[in-house]
Amino acid sequence: MNCCNDKSVSSLYDGSKLCRNHFIEYFETKVFKTIRQFELIGREENLGIALSGGKDSLTALHILCRFSKQNPKIKINAIAIDEGIAGYRDKTLKKAKEFCGNNNIKLHIFSYKEEFGLTLDEMLKILNVKPCSICGIFRRYLLNKKSRELKFTKLATGHNLDDECQSILMNQLRNNVEASARLGPKAGIFNNERFVQRIKPLYLCTEKEATTYAFLNGLLDTFSECPNARQSFRAQVRDMLNDMEKKFPGTKYSIVNSFLKILPLLKEKYKNGILKICAKCNEPSANDICNACVYLERLNYRELETNRH
Amino acid sequence: MTKINVNVFIDREDKNTTLELGRNSLVTDLLKKLDINPITVIVSRKNELILEDEKLNDNDEIRILSVISGG
């Protein structure tokens, strides 16, 4: 069913069709409702938005800027991580800088090269590991550390319904239920002053909806894909979910809605998980030494070995 | 005229192609021919979004934009 006589730009999974204006209203209402329903943002915040320059993070930043205009005590900052992926991150960071410049948003950029001494490309030449695993560990490490140093009260990310669905399923397939306890619209389990709460305002928006919103608001740039992403486990789970969604519309909503029903039980079950402090870097960690330091040690060892021969 | 030609740009592959389709073909027919799951793309013509049930015309310039996150 069409929303009005104007030309439709989006059809939802239930078959209803929306014109440009009604789609934008639908999308923004859904995001603002998500923020209220899950109490993602308080009355006064110094928010950081993790910005990659891709459509999802730009959409999150765009919509949170609108939210901030309605709520002047919500301050908005952007933070970006330059992993050092040749031909990819440089392009998306250009878009991030352009958007922040045009919208008067302070953008903080930190790079693997400056913080760890090596780009991701250089790390992958030294270690034989899956790119997305090691990249994710270092990115989350830097985002948390720098957000805390910049005194962000929360860190918003552009994660959408598709991302969440994939993570839920990946954790099931890997028998890692404890990791799912750290999912949800408010990520993380622990209340710890060294851990900056992560929030996902696009939690209930599909990837297609986020792309449509980005297109209609001029946020969609030329397509750019991380050269490491196509080989990832996530990419295979994503394709499987999209096949299911095509055959059975609403599958992704069902997965996330049923997950939200059991999430409080998971959080309760794993609430006593002890958050340690890494003995080397003092950052929050599940183990005595955090994963970032473990990898850095391996990188330094291999690099020394290589230089010796 | 029983056939139409449609010029297509697929952003994820950075590829331009021209396809011959039946006269009353819809966007959904184009996606089927290209073996693209409609869940994974949005489609535009003259910088306006069009839906799967939209009829295609001869010499249309169509852009197929991936909704997949890049990284």
Side-chain angles (χ1 to χ4, degrees):
Chain A
M1 194 163 64
N2 289 29
C3 61
C4 64
N5 289 331
D6 289 348
K7 195 171 162 27
S8 301
V9 298
S10 177
S11 63
L12 307 183
Y13 81 95
D14 63 2
S16 53
K17 293 177 181 175
L18 300 179
C19 71
R20 179 196 168 90
N21 290 343
H22 281 118
F23 175 80
I24 289 175
E25 187 186 332
Y26 155 83
F27 187 87
E28 291 181 351
T29 302
K30 181 147 79 166
V31 175
F32 294 156
K33 198 175 156 193
T34 303
I35 291 171
R36 281 197 305 276
Q37 184 184 346
F38 298 107
E39 299 175 336
L40 300 187
I41 298 175
R43 286 191 181 162
E44 197 168 342
E45 301 270 9
N46 185 33
L47 274 188
I49 289 103
L51 190 63
S52 68
K55 61 179 171 54
D56 297 322
S57 62
L58 280 170
T59 294
L61 181 56
H62 178 86
I63 210 158
L64 287 173
C65 283
R66 288 178 61 82
F67 188 77
S68 159
K69 278 178 188 151
Q70 294 167 16
N71 303 272
K73 287 188 176 171
I74 313 289
K75 293 203 166 53
I76 300 285
N77 314 264
I79 175 169
I81 305 297
D82 181 359
E83 301 94 343
I85 307 169
Y88 170 61
R89 185 57 77 214
D90 33 357
K91 281 189 204 162
T92 62
L93 278 179
K94 193 177 161 210
K95 182 78 182 167
K97 286 177 196 167
E98 195 181 289
F99 182 86
C100 289
N102 291 341
N103 292 279
N104 207 17
I105 299 161
K106 175 78 179 158
L107 171 63
H108 305 267
I109 302 178
F110 302 96
S111 72
Y112 283 13
K113 184 76 177 176
E114 278 183 25
E115 301 293 330
F116 305 123
L118 295 165
T119 65
L120 180 69
D121 289 346
E122 288 166 343
M123 289 176 182
L124 293 174
K125 279 180 193 153
I126 298 169
L127 288 184
N128 183 22
V129 290
K130 286 179 182 155
C132 298
S133 314
I134 184 173
C135 185
I137 286 167
F138 284 126
R139 189 173 54 248
R140 283 190 296 273
Y141 174 92
L142 271 189
L143 280 172
N144 186 65
K145 185 179 176 191
K146 297 300 176 184
S147 295
R148 191 184 64 241
E149 288 171 4
L150 289 163
K151 301 197 182 332
F152 295 161
T153 50
K154 281 171 187 147
L155 179 68
T157 65
H159 287 105
N160 56 43
L161 187 97
D162 289 56
D163 297 319
E164 188 78 352
C165 253
Q166 292 155 16
S167 298
I168 294 165
L169 217 53
M170 284 163 70
N171 291 338
Q172 290 283 333
L173 294 169
R174 285 174 165 154
N175 190 24
N176 191 2
V177 181
E178 189 170 356
S180 284
R182 293 192 290 272
L183 295 175
K186 274 181 173 174
I189 301 177
F190 310 101
N191 286 324
N192 183 291
E193 60 181 22
R194 297 188 75 75
F195 186 79
V196 180
Q197 174 93 74
R198 291 194 300 271
I199 56 169
K200 304 172 186 170
L202 308 185
Y203 191 79
L204 296 177
C205 304
T206 66
E207 199 148 50
K208 185 158 178 160
E209 288 172 343
T211 311
T212 302
Y213 184 85
F215 180 93
L216 296 174
N217 286 283
L219 304 171
L220 205 57
D221 206 19
T222 49
F223 182 77
S224 189
E225 187 172 34
C226 175
N228 302 315
R230 283 197 189 201
Q231 53 184 294
S232 68
F233 181 49
R234 179 175 289 275
Q236 295 186 47
V237 170
R238 177 194 66 207
D239 293 344
M240 182 175 78
L241 277 167
N242 283 331
D243 285 344
M244 289 295 288
E245 183 70 33
K246 187 183 166 194
K247 288 177 196 153
F248 309 103
T251 293
K252 292 175 193 171
Y253 280 113
S254 297
I255 291 173
V256 168
N257 282 330
S258 57
F259 175 71
L260 282 171
K261 286 179 190 158
I262 60 162
L263 184 58
L265 303 174
L266 287 177
K267 290 215 184 268
E268 179 65 24
K269 180 171 170 61
Y270 294 105
K271 71 177 179 189
N272 294 327
I274 299 163
L275 183 68
K276 297 179 181 175
I277 296 296
C278 172
K280 295 193 88 171
C281 67
N282 289 329
E283 287 302 306
S285 168
N287 307 306
D288 292 335
I289 307 285
C290 73
N291 282 332
C293 284
V294 169
Y295 273 116
L296 281 176
E297 208 162 287
R298 283 176 63 188
L299 283 164
N300 290 335
Y301 175 74
R302 289 285 173 84
E303 203 172 29
L304 285 174
E305 283 288 291
T306 312
N307 291 340
R308 202 180 296 159
H309 295 298
Chain B
M1 186 172 61
T2 55
K3 298 278 181 188
I4 58 169
N5 286 312
V6 178
N7 303 309
V8 185
F9 172 70
I10 306 168
D11 75 339
R12 195 173 182 213
E13 293 167 31
D14 196 20
K15 184 174 102 178
N16 280 295
T17 184
T18 302
L19 288 176
E20 193 182 72
L21 295 165
R23 194 160 62 99
N24 291 315
S25 292
L26 309 176
V27 170
T28 188
D29 301 315
L30 172 67
L31 295 179
K32 258 182 213 156
K33 189 155 185 168
L34 290 165
D35 197 23
I36 292 175
N37 181 344
I39 303 289
T40 65
V41 292
I42 56 174
V43 180
S44 78
R45 177 172 59 196
K46 292 181 184 163
N47 213 27
E48 280 196 358
L49 292 180
I50 53 174
L51 299 184
E52 283 170 63
D53 56 5
E54 185 87 15
K55 198 179 151 201
L56 295 168
N57 307 312
D58 196 28
N59 293 320
D60 264 351
E61 302 275 344
I62 301 294
R63 291 172 68 84
I64 298 178
L65 310 170
S66 175
V67 309
I68 303 288
S69 293

